Amino acid sequence: MSTIRDVARQAGVSVSTVSLAFNTPERVSSETRKRIAQAAAEVDYQSPDPVAQTLSSGRSQLIGMVQADISNAFFGKLLREVELHAHARGYLVIVSDSNAEFEREEKILRHLASMRVAGMIVSPCGLNEAETAHLHDLKTPFILFDQKHEGLSCDFVGTDNQLASATLTEHLIQLGHRRIGFLGGVEGLYTASEREQGFVKTLQASGLETDSELIVDARYTYEGSYAQTRRLLALENPPTALLACSNVMSLAALQAIRDLGLDCPGDISLTGIDDVPWMHMISPQITVVVQPVEAMAQATARLILQRIEQRQSGSEPGTDFTDTIFPPILQLGQSVAQITRT
């Protein structure tokens, strides 16, 4: 059976560096962590089995992770990074997809609690207090990711969503666009509300009128974005640019533009929030703001492990919960054109 020394030898680093990568990954560079992870796979190094450790110590080594749409590339990248950090500390991540249904989410969380998982990472889909009541009742340590709910006593990790949409809106305005269509997410959902606020506030700060006809609920889905894009572009006075609130929605908008026989960005400019791994292969490459998934995953893993260890030591969490908010990053593509008309 391979040991930590075999991993160090294969990776060309010291044993202490491997130990740091496994136990406190935030102290090791991303490049070194990836080299160590690859070396561990090459020598078939196996960390202690989480289930066996639970049986022998009475402490669970399982972390539950509940997402609304695991097929979305954003959540896939998050899972990969969280698993890397959790595995290094001897934890196994169990992933469940709520399909954005709060009843299903409630059942999943109840089932995870019955399995006595050590902690949970949840991206909740409920829109109001009644739909998130089950989160108030959780006895298991948990943190919220992406979707925030006021009134819940827990840590939160997310992006500055208002800044994300504001950055794209300002970029479009600077290039001469005055009629901008907004393809929003599910009305009432935290990220959707924040992104719409960022859009509206930026228009108002620039002295532009907010046309409610151009702000639509595209449900964070491909089908919703495709249909709403076609409807916006069929208006008597259509927008000159679109802002889609997710990677799936921006791809759907681009498909709708093409199916209408229009050119992007010649006839209509397009921007979006988040990318997909193959975005550079799409023509035109879409101008987007992206969330720093690796840094967000590190913060998520660090916080949930901190809460788990706090609970296992017998300490109460108190009120020292934190909101960890990351700024988005603008990535310019070729999907936006400058215009002179108003």
Side-chain angles (χ1 to χ4, degrees):
M1 181 179 294
S2 299
T3 68
I4 193 172
R5 294 184 181 277
D6 298 316
V7 176
R9 188 180 304 110
Q10 184 72 10
V13 298
S14 66
V15 172
S16 61
T17 299
V18 175
S19 180
L20 281 175
F22 285 169
N23 295 293
T24 53
E26 64 274 9
R27 296 177 59 185
V28 181
S29 70
S30 174
E31 182 179 344
T32 300
R33 286 200 312 273
K34 290 177 180 177
R35 189 161 79 248
I36 290 173
Q38 181 178 351
E42 290 172 350
V43 301
D44 196 26
Y45 173 75
Q46 300 294 324
S47 61
D49 175 40
V51 176
Q53 284 193 346
T54 299
L55 293 174
S56 63
S57 67
R59 294 183 176 182
S60 173
Q61 298 298 117
L62 303 175
I63 295 175
M65 189 170 178
V66 185
Q67 304 296 338
D69 182 9
I70 201 64
S71 67
N72 189 305
F74 170 72
F75 290 115
K77 289 190 288 186
L78 169 73
L79 169 61
R80 181 187 61 194
E81 293 293 334
V82 168
E83 277 195 314
L84 177 65
H85 296 287
H87 185 265
R89 298 284 289 274
Y91 286 86
L92 180 68
V93 179
I94 303 174
V95 185
S96 290
D97 189 332
S98 69
N99 197 36
E101 301 169 8
F102 78 90
E103 295 95 343
R104 180 171 172 175
E105 175 184 288
E106 183 179 9
K107 290 180 181 178
I108 291 171
L109 293 176
R110 192 164 55 241
H111 188 59
L112 288 173
S114 71
M115 294 172 62
R116 304 181 66 83
V117 297
M120 301 182 196
I121 301 168
V122 186
S123 181
C125 56
L127 301 179
N128 53 53
E129 188 173 348
E131 294 176 352
T132 57
H134 57 284
L135 292 170
H136 288 272
D137 298 333
L138 278 180
K139 305 301 181 184
T140 305
F142 73 97
I143 67 172
L144 298 186
F145 181 86
D146 191 46
Q147 300 292 349
K148 182 180 179 181
H149 282 268
E150 300 293 344
L152 283 174
S153 298
C154 63
D155 299 297
F156 170 72
V157 178
T159 304
D160 189 333
N161 288 284
Q162 287 198 32
L163 180 60
S165 56
T167 298
L168 292 173
T169 306
E170 184 175 355
H171 178 63
L172 291 170
I173 292 172
Q174 289 176 346
L175 292 176
H177 294 274
R178 297 296 179 265
R179 284 185 61 77
I180 303 171
F182 183 82
L183 299 166
V186 178
E187 184 178 356
L189 203 58
Y190 171 76
T191 54
S193 298
E194 289 289 296
R195 290 170 186 180
E196 183 175 329
Q197 285 187 52
F199 172 70
V200 171
K201 288 180 179 179
T202 305
L203 289 179
Q204 293 174 342
S206 300
L208 298 178
E209 180 183 354
T210 302
D211 188 344
S212 59
E213 187 178 36
L214 299 182
I215 301 176
V216 297
D217 182 349
R219 310 299 298 172
Y220 275 144
T221 65
Y222 188 97
E223 295 78 12
S225 182
Y226 182 89
Q228 292 287 18
T229 297
R230 293 185 66 105
R231 189 184 71 78
L232 287 174
L233 296 182
L235 293 174
E236 183 177 348
N237 184 17
T240 62
L242 298 173
L243 194 167
C245 275
S246 78
N247 47 12
V248 171
M249 292 162 64
S250 60
L251 293 176
L254 182 59
Q255 185 63 56
I257 291 168
R258 288 175 173 169
D259 288 351
L260 288 170
L262 301 175
D263 176 71
C264 177
D267 298 310
I268 178 77
S269 292
L270 175 64
T271 63
I273 296 176
D274 285 334
D275 62 358
V276 291
W278 57 89
M279 188 69 84
H280 64 283
M281 299 177 64
I282 297 171
S283 181
Q285 185 171 341
I286 302 172
T287 289
V288 295
V289 290
V290 297
Q291 304 181 69
V293 179
E294 184 172 327
M296 295 171 73
Q298 289 179 14
T300 300
R302 182 181 69 251
L303 281 168
I304 191 59
L305 290 169
Q306 175 184 322
R307 294 305 176 188
I308 290 171
E309 291 167 0
Q310 194 173 44
R311 173 64 60 85
Q312 291 177 344
S313 68
S315 302
E316 291 299 323
T319 58
D320 60 332
F321 299 111
T322 62
D323 285 355
T324 306
I325 310 296
F326 290 87
I329 303 165
L330 177 64
Q331 291 185 353
L332 297 177
Q334 298 82 43
S335 63
V336 177
Q338 185 166 3
I339 62 173
T340 55
R341 63 184 184 277
T342 60

